[in-house]
Amino acid sequence: MTASVVRIEDKLYQNRYLVDAGRPHIKVRQHQSPSPNLLALTVVCPAKCYEVNEDGQVEVTADGCMECGTCRVLCEESGDIDWSYPRGGFGVLFKFG
């Protein structure tokens, strides 16, 4: 009997996200060089919302954010990000709870 492999992308596909155009709930503050915690977000964010651009700066694309709080735990206290809850009716819509 073979075990089936479940990819995180397949699970994330089940969720829906209502984008609040022009009003992202997460913003990365300007920085000369990213802090270690900010760089860590490019690896630990389960929705892969953070990436390093060609200038070596960390950027966020809040579309698809699961609102899990990982980025808040790592970076809000240090001031690397601004985070707020999405406006009512916007954000992630979990299909299975």
Side-chain angles (χ1 to χ4, degrees), residues 6-38:
V6 178
R7 299 175 335 136
I8 187 72
E9 291 84 2
D10 296 334
K11 292 289 188 180
L12 289 174
Y13 180 76
Q14 300 297 319
N15 299 328
R16 296 295 176 251
Y17 195 86
L18 186 56
V19 176
D20 193 358
R23 297 181 71 170
H25 70 284
I26 306 170
K27 295 178 185 171
V28 175
R29 292 190 181 160
Q30 290 186 340
H31 51 277
Q32 295 294 323
S33 61
S35 70
N37 282 359
L38 199 53

Side-chain angles (χ1 to χ4, degrees), residues 6-78:
V6 178
R7 299 175 335 136
I8 187 72
E9 291 84 2
D10 296 334
K11 292 289 188 180
L12 289 174
Y13 180 76
Q14 300 297 319
N15 299 328
R16 296 295 176 251
Y17 195 86
L18 186 56
V19 176
D20 193 358
R23 297 181 71 170
H25 70 284
I26 306 170
K27 295 178 185 171
V28 175
R29 292 190 181 160
Q30 290 186 340
H31 51 277
Q32 295 294 323
S33 61
S35 70
N37 282 359
L38 199 53
L39 285 173
L41 286 179
T42 64
V43 178
V44 300
C45 175
K48 306 291 184 215
C49 293
Y50 294 85
E51 54 184 37
V52 179
N53 67 18
E54 62 276 353
D55 297 325
Q57 302 292 298
V58 174
E59 295 180 333
V60 63
T61 303
D63 303 357
C65 173
M66 295 172 30
E67 301 169 31
C68 67
T70 301
C71 57
R72 287 185 75 185
V73 170
L74 280 176
C75 294
E76 189 175 41
E77 187 174 314
S78 66

